Amino acid sequence: MSVRWSRVRGVLFALPILLASAAHGAVAQPRPASDATYFNDAALPAADPFVLRDPGSGDYFAYSTDGADPGYAFAIYRSPDLVTWQRIPGGALDMGDGTQWGRDWFWAPEVYHNPATGRYFLFYSARLRDGIAEQFGYADFEEPSKVGVAVSDSPAGPFRNIQPGPIDYHPYDPDYHDVNLLMDAEQKKPPETLEEGMTAPLGTYIPFIDPNVFFDDGRIVLYFSRNAYRNWVWDHGLGKYVEESNVLAVELTSEWWDDPAGATMPRIAPEHVDANRDPADPPGVRKDGYVPIIDYASDPQQWENAHVDDYAETGGAEKDRRWSEGSTVVRATARDGRARYFLTYSANNFANSFYGVGYAVADDPLGPWRKSPANPVLAQDAGQGLYSTGHGSVIASPDSTELYYVHHGRPSAEVDRRLYTSRLRIDPDRDELRIDGTTEDRPVPSGVAPYAVRADRPVVEVRDGEGEVGWRVGTASGSPMPLGNPLNRVLPRLDPGSALEVVAAADGAVLRGTPRGVEALRLTYQRARSGGGQVDVHQGGAPVEVVLPVAACGSAVTGRHDELVVPEGVTCLRGAEVRGSVRVEPGASLLVLDSTVGGSVLADSPGSVWVSGGRIGGSVRVRGATGPVRLDGTEAGASVVLVDGDSPVVAGPSLGGGVRCRGNASAPVDEGRPNSVAGSRAGECGAV
């Protein structure tokens, strides 16, 4: 399948990129392949989510109807991998900034970034506070919803309304018999017959919500949902009126998008202005046009009928209704070069467990659109505890080779909407769209890995019985993972037998006690599994981790020296230069970090010998160590001999001679970091 994206979600996409950049500044050097997984844990409140990938940081930003702090509208969540999110405090819109035109019903935020101007545009819907009669013809119009636009220099906000009012757009339906004028004050029981309904006056203004902006080769199309209110449609099969929401569209001009100051409100294209105006209308009356996109009667599907009998079933508490809303449009190119447009939409009531997602296909952004017979493609799955799935947005994985549908759902029919990420696949040659809605474990999106664990120091120095360390986990883009999200963590582990106590937080730990010589602290990246617990993440067969020395340095050595003898305790070399050799006496321990030793490192019956980075000009010979022995990313000019120790580590060094190991408690390991050995490998070191 060949897929080419063209200005999907306001950002120009090329052919899918198959390369992933390396993590920046990683201490551990992981390999690209990762076994990391994620699952939808339904932990974050979210409704109507829209996701933007910020080109500057490479991070994803999800904007939600729900979840903002008091005093704000629209929560913002940030993620480097599209599946592990953290909430940004506050929200997208400051409700007290003096520019708010909406009274309530702040719904369905979507954000688009113009890389040429650096501006971020927030489209959202709300219910008017003032001027209802002027906008809709009646002061008591029940659902006076409109769409506003705010702007920011950052995807994290704050966004500020371009003007203290909605887009200057007045869609008007001249063919609607306004049966609401024949109904009582409750507006729930329409006329019994079509003949009676046809006696109602013609024409009504259309309230609208759920904006979605689609950019396509110079065209800008605003899709939106017509509120069900004041749209009673006669269903000939049911023999009654059903109040419906539909998906409509209007083209926009481009001045707002191109304005470097971000101070221009979007305007509808001239051909839609007053397109439904009657010549008899008085001056100053606006009646704008629109393009029908999705409705029930033109392409009926039974799964959309979950609420058509609600009036009788609720004893008159609810209306008989249908919904088509929450649309998202993407474009794909088939093998024969044809552009295929896919529109996802949600049907049924968002608070009902039968809320689901369907899709339609067209040859042009304005249609005609044909619904798929496979609908719904995302729906409740009681066996997985997945309900009310709907209203999402389509976004590519970090390397653009996969698509995902980020949507809301509920873990039960009794709780509020939560954030879900589901794999989406499109085949434009067959007009197929599939969504993998699941709460089971799935691979993290392509291009997230390689991961890299990075500590904030090369050694944990214990002083007065206490030491500390901080950490982060980077992705291929270099962005840090949100370790406060329980879907992932770094687990600090000491080698067995350590007497140290580790008190861990999300991004660091405090170690208490007295280390024995030099001990190894492993910081291992883990991800949660749907069945419970956390498991190590591997790349190239090795865990994603960094190993740090922990020591109470009795003697700290820096600067230049001729030769060095370590008689007792722990001696730590940091950035030192020793022209001759370093000898470690029995029971003493040596820690060498990024230092140069012109001669050899020789140790007989030591505690620990740990050499990380730097260069050893001669050989390294360690016999009978009682603690850790580790050569980590070190260059050695001669042979390495490791005898009668515990479990040596030879990870990533470049050895000018050979390496020989025997009599150790277990064979040395390289922790997935291959060694460069000029000479022979002998004994237990044959595999490192």
Side-chain angles (χ1 to χ4, degrees):
M1 179 181 72
S2 173
V3 180
R4 180 175 62 85
W5 302 101
S6 175
R7 282 202 178 273
V8 176
R9 292 304 201 184
V11 178
L12 184 63
F13 282 78
L15 285 167
I17 301 170
L18 301 179
L19 301 177
S21 61
H24 301 302
V27 173
Q29 299 297 322
R31 297 174 186 175
S34 170
D35 62 1
T37 61
Y38 82 99
F39 71 98
N40 286 306
D41 62 347
L44 298 176
D48 317 321
F50 176 87
V51 176
L52 167 80
R53 191 177 191 210
D54 179 45
S57 64
D59 285 345
Y60 294 91
F61 289 80
Y63 304 87
S64 161
T65 294
D66 295 343
D69 286 338
Y72 291 86
F74 310 127
I76 306 177
Y77 297 96
R78 184 172 187 159
S79 171
D81 66 355
L82 196 53
V83 294
T84 313
W85 301 91
Q86 63 180 354
R87 191 176 70 87
I88 296 175
L93 277 180
D94 181 351
M95 300 305 291
D97 71 1
T99 69
Q100 303 310 328
W101 54 270
R103 173 180 34 156
D104 51 19
W105 291 12
F106 285 82
W107 292 341
E110 301 205 356
V111 174
Y112 307 93
H113 175 240
N114 186 337
T117 66
R119 303 293 181 177
Y120 296 82
F121 296 91
L122 167 69
F123 283 68
Y124 65 93
S125 55
R127 193 160 59 165
L128 276 173
R129 181 179 60 239
D130 303 314
I132 296 173
E134 291 79 5
Q135 295 268 6
F136 290 95
Y138 303 96
D140 62 348
F141 200 90
E142 185 178 326
E143 299 185 6
S145 299
K146 292 274 189 174
V147 167
V149 184
V151 68
S152 176
D153 294 329
S154 166
F159 291 84
R160 187 175 178 85
N161 284 305
I162 296 175
Q163 68 179 26
I167 294 174
D168 184 21
Y169 180 39
H170 307 263
Y172 185 83
D173 184 348
D175 301 320
Y176 175 68
H177 285 276
D178 195 351
V179 300
N180 293 74
L181 300 176
L182 307 179
M183 297 164 62
D184 62 21
E186 290 192 351
Q187 298 281 290
K188 292 180 180 177
K189 181 64 174 172
E192 294 284 348
T193 66
L194 176 61
E195 289 73 19
E196 182 184 358
M198 295 288 285
T199 67
L202 279 171
T204 187
Y205 282 99
I206 296 174
F208 58 104
I209 58 173
D210 296 355
N212 172 239
V213 182
F214 179 65
F215 299 79
D216 184 61
D217 293 339
R219 300 170 70 184
I220 305 176
V221 180
L222 171 65
Y223 297 88
F224 57 91
S225 296
R226 175 179 186 168
N227 292 43
Y229 178 67
R230 252 181 166 87
N231 190 35
W232 291 97
V233 177
W234 182 261
D235 188 305
H236 291 275
L238 298 176
K240 63 179 180 180
Y241 277 103
V242 176
E243 198 175 40
E244 292 186 5
S245 68
N246 311 131
V247 178
L248 311 177
V250 65
E251 291 198 66
L252 302 177
T253 60
S254 62
E255 294 87 355
W256 65 279
W257 184 250
D258 299 329
D259 180 3
T264 302
M265 279 291 285
R267 297 182 178 89
I268 65 170
E271 60 266 28
H272 298 292
V273 177
D274 273 338
N276 289 328
R277 179 182 170 85
D278 190 286
D281 288 332
V285 173
R286 277 279 296 277
K287 293 181 178 179
D288 297 333
Y290 56 87
V291 179
I293 299 296
I294 297 290
D295 61 70
Y296 181 82
S298 62
D299 200 353
Q301 294 192 334
Q302 181 60 32
W303 73 280
E304 300 175 11
N305 285 328
H307 301 281
V308 296
D309 296 317
D310 277 7
Y311 185 84
E313 292 175 359
T314 64
E318 302 291 343
K319 302 177 183 181
D320 292 337
R321 274 185 159 182
R322 289 192 188 96
W323 284 267
S324 298
E325 59 185 20
S327 62
T328 290
V329 176
V330 295
R331 168 180 159 171
T333 302
R335 288 191 182 95
D336 61 5
R338 293 179 304 130
R340 307 298 293 150
Y341 297 87
F342 291 78
L343 178 147
T344 63
Y345 69 97
S346 299
N348 301 318
N349 187 282
F350 76 89
N352 187 276
S353 59
F354 291 99
Y355 190 60
V357 175
Y359 77 95
V361 184
D363 296 320
D364 184 88
L366 296 181
W369 291 85
R370 178 179 55 83
K371 294 178 184 176
S372 169
N375 289 341
V377 290
L378 182 62
Q380 71 162 336
D381 186 340
Q384 295 193 74
L386 182 61
Y387 303 89
S388 307
T389 53
H391 198 143
S393 61
V394 180
I395 192 71
S397 63
D399 64 3
S400 298
T401 64
E402 298 172 345
L403 293 177
Y404 285 83
Y405 188 65
V406 180
H407 58 94
H408 68 235
R410 295 188 291 163
S412 75
E414 288 75 39
V415 302
D416 292 334
R417 290 169 285 180
R418 306 296 173 85
L419 189 64
Y420 289 77
T421 301
S422 300
R423 179 76 185 276
L424 180 146
R425 293 174 171 85
I426 288 178
D427 185 342
D429 296 305
R430 299 182 178 181
D431 287 347
E432 290 182 352
L433 182 150
R434 292 173 290 156
I435 300 174
D436 178 27
T438 180
T439 58
E440 298 177 352
D441 297 306
R442 292 290 186 266
V444 298
S446 180
V448 172
Y451 297 99
V453 180
R454 185 175 185 177
D456 65 355
R457 62 202 66 199
V459 57
V460 182
E461 293 192 60
V462 178
R463 297 173 180 173
D464 299 324
E466 188 169 289
E468 63 181 19
V469 62
W471 55 68
R472 59 171 285 184
V473 176
T475 60
S477 69
S479 293
M481 292 296 299
L483 297 174
N485 186 319
L487 283 176
N488 69 153
R489 71 179 184 185
V490 168
L491 179 65
R493 291 185 279 204
L494 290 160
D495 286 343
S498 174
L500 289 168
E501 175 192 11
V502 180
V503 182
D507 58 356
V510 174
L511 280 64
R512 296 193 176 104
T514 303
R516 296 182 301 180
V518 182
E519 297 193 32
L521 174 67
R522 297 179 180 273
L523 305 179
T524 307
Y525 183 54
Q526 297 186 324
R527 293 195 62 88
R529 301 301 295 268
S530 61
Q534 304 259 356
V535 297
D536 294 354
V537 175
H538 294 82
Q539 288 167 171
V544 178
E545 65 182 10
V546 63
V547 184
L548 300 177
V550 181
C553 298
S555 176
V557 177
T558 59
R560 295 183 176 182
H561 304 268
D562 291 329
E563 290 194 342
L564 190 65
V565 176
V566 181
E568 59 183 2
V570 180
T571 294
C572 300
L573 279 68
R574 297 188 64 175
E577 180 182 348
V578 179
R579 296 185 179 89
S581 296
V582 177
R583 183 178 298 275
V584 185
E585 299 292 340
S589 295
L590 174 67
L591 172 61
V592 181
L593 296 177
D594 298 320
S595 297
T596 300
V597 177
S600 299
V601 173
L602 307 171
D604 195 357
S605 301
S608 307
V609 176
W610 188 305
V611 183
S612 181
R615 184 179 189 279
I616 310 299
S619 60
V620 178
R621 298 176 180 269
V622 182
R623 178 189 298 272
T626 58
V629 174
R630 185 178 184 91
L631 272 67
D632 188 346
T634 301
E635 181 182 351
S639 62
V640 171
V641 179
L642 307 176
V643 178
D644 297 338
D646 187 2
S647 303
V649 176
V650 183
S654 175
L655 307 181
V659 57
R660 178 164 58 89
C661 307
R662 61 176 174 79
N664 296 288
S666 61
V669 296
D670 64 8
E671 296 180 343
R673 299 169 59 196
N675 303 295
S676 173
V677 181
S680 62
R681 294 175 168 89
E684 299 162 344
C685 287
V688 299

